[in-house]
Amino acid sequence: KVPGVSRNSFFYSAGISRAMGGGFGAGLELSGTKQSGASTGTTVLGALTYTASKNLALDASVSRARAGGENANGSGVGMTYLFSK
């Protein structure tokens, strides 16, 4: 137990996504945390997706986070391959 820091925390996340046609899609997400006595954190993430085939999806994302008065930027790429029929 840390003095002055609550054992209770609140987490939230909300997102939207949309197919854009031609195998492309986009998404936007807002998430964060709140805990009494600790820094509050918030993250905004945007992503683009391309469905290359029925088994393969490619993703790219960028994010901006703020916690404890400091900012951080991030980015990522990924792929999902479905091995089933």
Side-chain angles (χ1 to χ4, degrees):
K1 184 173 180 180
V2 177
V5 176
S6 171
R7 289 187 292 171
N8 301 320
S9 14
F10 176 72
F11 304 92
Y12 65 90
S13 177
I16 58 172
S17 62
R18 180 163 178 95
M20 299 178 352
F24 286 93
L28 184 65
E29 179 183 295
L30 174 66
S31 62
T33 62
K34 172 72 175 128
Q35 184 176 14
S36 295
S39 349
T40 298
T42 305
T43 302
V44 176
L45 179 132
L48 291 175
T49 302
Y50 176 68
T51 304
S53 70
K54 68 178 188 173
N55 291 19
L56 179 64
L58 306 171
D59 306 302
S61 66
V62 293
S63 64
R64 174 97 169 159
R66 181 170 177 83
E70 298 203 14
N71 296 320
N73 298 315
S75 62
V77 294
M79 66 178 236
T80 302
Y81 186 82
L82 302 174
F83 289 98
S84 63
K85 291 183 181 182

